[in-house]
Amino acid sequence: SLSLSGALAPGSSSAGLTPDGRKLLVAAGGQVHIINTTEADTGFVAAISTASAPTGIAVLPNSRRAYIASSGSNFIQIIDLVPTIPQLLSTAAVLPSGPATAIAIPPNGSRIYAAVAGNVYEIDRVVAAPSTAISNPFFAAGAFAFDPDPPVANALLNNIGNVAVLNIAARTVASNPFTVPGSLSISEVVAPGSNRAFLLAGSPGRLFSGFISAGGVTTEIVSPQTGVPYGTSAVDIEVVPDGSRLFVAYAGESRLV
């Protein structure tokens, strides 16, 4: 463990750990704070001001750059994480049709993806230029999840009321999004691979699953021994990198299933 001293502005809205585990980026106030996770005496290494309050952070798989979305801003700003003191680059991507509601990078690092109301943009990581818009007829995605199986063919767009499937190669959003029975709000979606998707929906949370190639109404996950739903008080789900296990955290309980 590592104890770090220091204080952040109240209301931190997003955080991201570099894939190499050496830096933690935390959005708080109007800044992105960059923390060295390997040495306590050099913990807080930079506080970088952004266009407005940062709302989303995405880091390249090689841990060399971070991309920042900000509240009410069409700019996606870029932080160079290679120098000892990370630097905000003068180059930024400008989204043509509004501020980003979500930002993410697939496991292969091929593009940066940003969602806005009604559209998704691919951003070239070299020239920081957004593509022509990909229409998302299900309004605005609040989060992305990527199918990790090569060649990373699909992205899942969490639109809260449903989860749409973006075919990355075809640049189209399928017309049959995932939904859950009872029109529950979807708080989280993960894609472990093998064409599977898992959704956390409702409050308290319940767990559902479906196949990416099919979409449509998902099935609630129940215990094969008792038939009792695994959810009912789930608050978070996470999948391990190799997709072999799904972990579920429950409200008011110490168990992790």
Side-chain angles (χ1 to χ4, degrees):
S1 64
L2 182 68
S3 297
L4 300 171
S5 61
L8 301 177
S12 55
S13 58
S14 184
L17 183 68
T18 57
D20 63 10
R22 299 182 66 83
K23 291 184 177 68
L24 175 66
L25 286 72
V26 180
Q31 296 179 314
V32 174
H33 298 264
I34 302 172
I35 301 165
N36 183 344
T37 62
T38 60
E39 298 179 36
D41 59 348
T42 58
F44 286 84
V45 297
I48 295 177
S49 297
T50 52
S52 56
T55 56
I57 298 171
V59 182
L60 288 177
N62 63 12
S63 302
R64 297 177 67 86
R65 285 187 175 184
Y67 294 78
I68 313 299
S70 299
S71 174
S73 173
N74 290 35
F75 288 92
I76 301 296
Q77 295 179 282
I78 306 169
I79 298 175
D80 184 356
L81 298 174
V82 174
T84 303
I85 304 299
Q87 302 293 320
L88 183 68
L89 300 182
S90 58
T91 303
V94 182
L95 303 176
S97 59
T101 57
I103 184 170
I105 298 174
N108 60 12
S110 58
R111 295 282 192 278
I112 297 87
Y113 286 81
V116 303
N119 290 311
V120 174
Y121 291 96
E122 297 173 314
I123 300 172
D124 186 283
R125 56 183 286 184
V126 177
V127 297
S131 65
T132 55
I134 302 169
S135 175
N136 176 11
F138 306 103
F139 192 57
F144 290 89
F146 293 94
D147 178 0
D149 292 338
V152 190
N154 299 291
L156 304 181
L157 312 178
N158 187 356
N159 302 308
I160 309 304
N162 60 61
V163 172
V165 179
L166 166 64
N167 183 308
I168 290 176
R171 304 183 75 250
T172 57
V173 173
S175 60
N176 55 329
F178 286 117
T179 58
V180 296
S183 301
L184 300 175
S185 294
I186 301 164
S187 57
E188 193 166 355
V189 57
V190 296
S194 301
N195 194 35
R196 299 297 300 276
F198 293 90
L199 290 72
L200 175 63
S203 180
R206 295 159 58 186
L207 299 175
F208 300 84
S209 69
F211 292 95
I212 293 173
S213 58
V217 179
T218 52
T219 301
E220 188 160 12
I221 302 174
V222 299
S223 167
Q225 287 79 31
T226 65
V228 175
Y230 272 125
T232 70
S233 62
V235 293
D236 196 15
I237 56 175
E238 200 64 60
V239 65
V240 297
D242 67 4
S244 62
R245 294 178 182 270
L246 178 74
F247 288 92
V248 184
Y250 292 88
E253 300 185 39
S254 58
R255 63 173 173 152
L256 187 66
V257 177

